[in-house]
Amino acid sequence: YYVYYDNVKPTGVVKNGSGATLTTQYTSGAFSYTASDSGSGVSYLQYIPAGSSSWTSYTSGTQIAASATNGAYQFRAVDKAGNISTEYKVYYDAGVPTGTLYGGTTSKSSGSYTNASYVKYTASDSYSGIANIYVRMPNSSYYTAYSSGTQLATQGTYYFYCVDKSGNTSSTVSITLDTSKPTGTLYGGTSVISSGGSTNASYIRFVPSDNIGLSTTYVKKPGASSYVVYTSGTQFTAEGTYSFYSTDLAGNSSSTYTIILDRQIPTAQLYVDGKPIDNNSY
């Protein structure tokens, strides 16, 4: 009679679909488990698939396909002497992480504008979890690491994306921060006129501007009680008082600019000793 004494646990390894050993516990592709034992030899393998709580039989090297259920998979091996290997857990995650943009405390869609005091980005992932988040700051050509929820107040366009622990990358989203009011320039003919000023030019016009992006410009014409949409640079020739203002894409409104177009020749009266006389009189 003889007995084989073995008190050494078997060891296992998880490999990707190409047969290379996984260097992390996270994957977004197909994977499999194999085990070895230097003593009595491997007796059987078991695993707990994602969504289950019970050990079930597993055949060495069987690939769990990339279309498998997202979640945690646990593996173990038992040798012929009854030693149980250290349990190996791998997280399969084929889902793309997501992120939410905020202008202040209000969530915003990608490509939107905000005039809040700051912007921020928060990332989430349902399975393996977020590994890294990146931001491209205004006027920058490269991405840098970003901490979820950090408030950023520099004006301009921001780009964000995140990567989960399984290597899945989210879509890139953008938001533009603009807290500055639009400005504008009044013209009487080709001459610049200050707001509140008058001109006897043949026409007046208004040219708005904004560092980020204009939305709509409005004008209130002489005798009107309300504003209507105005196209930048459009000339007006009717005499009277005009008022203009603009809004930008972030919702900021400019100051109101007014100008008076007046081509009427003023009248005058000559007086001598308090009595009116005609022009060219003696």
Side-chain angles (χ1 to χ4, degrees), residues 7 11 13 25 27 74 89 94 164 184 195 197 209 214 229 239:
N7 68 347
T11 58
V13 63
Q25 288 184 292
T27 183
Q74 290 177 261
K89 182 180 287 187
D164 67 21
S195 179
S209 63
L214 285 166
V229 174
E239 294 181 90

Side-chain angles (χ1 to χ4, degrees), residues 5-19:
Y5 175 70
D6 177 8
N7 68 347
V8 178
K9 296 188 296 183
T11 58
V13 63
V14 173
K15 298 182 179 181
N16 63 23
S18 300

Side-chain angles (χ1 to χ4, degrees), residues 13-16 20-27 88 90 165:
V13 63
V14 173
K15 298 182 179 181
N16 63 23
T21 300
L22 287 180
T23 56
T24 71
Q25 288 184 292
Y26 303 95
T27 183
Y88 192 105
V90 60
K165 293 176 182 177

Side-chain angles (χ1 to χ4, degrees), residues 118-138:
Y118 63 87
V119 299
K120 66 177 183 178
Y121 176 80
T122 60
S124 62
D125 186 75
S126 300
Y127 301 105
S128 59
I130 297 296
N132 296 292
I133 306 173
Y134 300 94
V135 60
R136 195 175 92 193
M137 300 286 287

Side-chain angles (χ1 to χ4, degrees), residues 90-180:
V90 60
Y91 294 89
Y92 173 71
D93 180 6
V96 176
T98 59
T100 304
L101 291 166
Y102 289 89
T105 58
T106 303
S107 61
K108 295 288 186 178
S109 59
S110 179
S112 64
Y113 292 75
T114 180
N115 59 3
S117 58
Y118 63 87
V119 299
K120 66 177 183 178
Y121 176 80
T122 60
S124 62
D125 186 75
S126 300
Y127 301 105
S128 59
I130 297 296
N132 296 292
I133 306 173
Y134 300 94
V135 60
R136 195 175 92 193
M137 300 286 287
N139 302 315
S140 176
S141 59
Y142 57 89
Y143 285 86
T144 57
Y146 171 80
S147 296
S148 182
T150 300
Q151 298 177 6
L152 302 171
T154 300
Q155 295 193 71
T157 301
Y158 294 83
Y159 297 87
F160 298 90
Y161 74 92
C162 57
V163 181
D164 67 21
K165 293 176 182 177
S166 294
N168 302 298
T169 301
S170 72
S171 57
T172 300
V173 293
S174 66
I175 187 169
T176 301
L177 177 63
D178 179 8
T179 59
S180 298

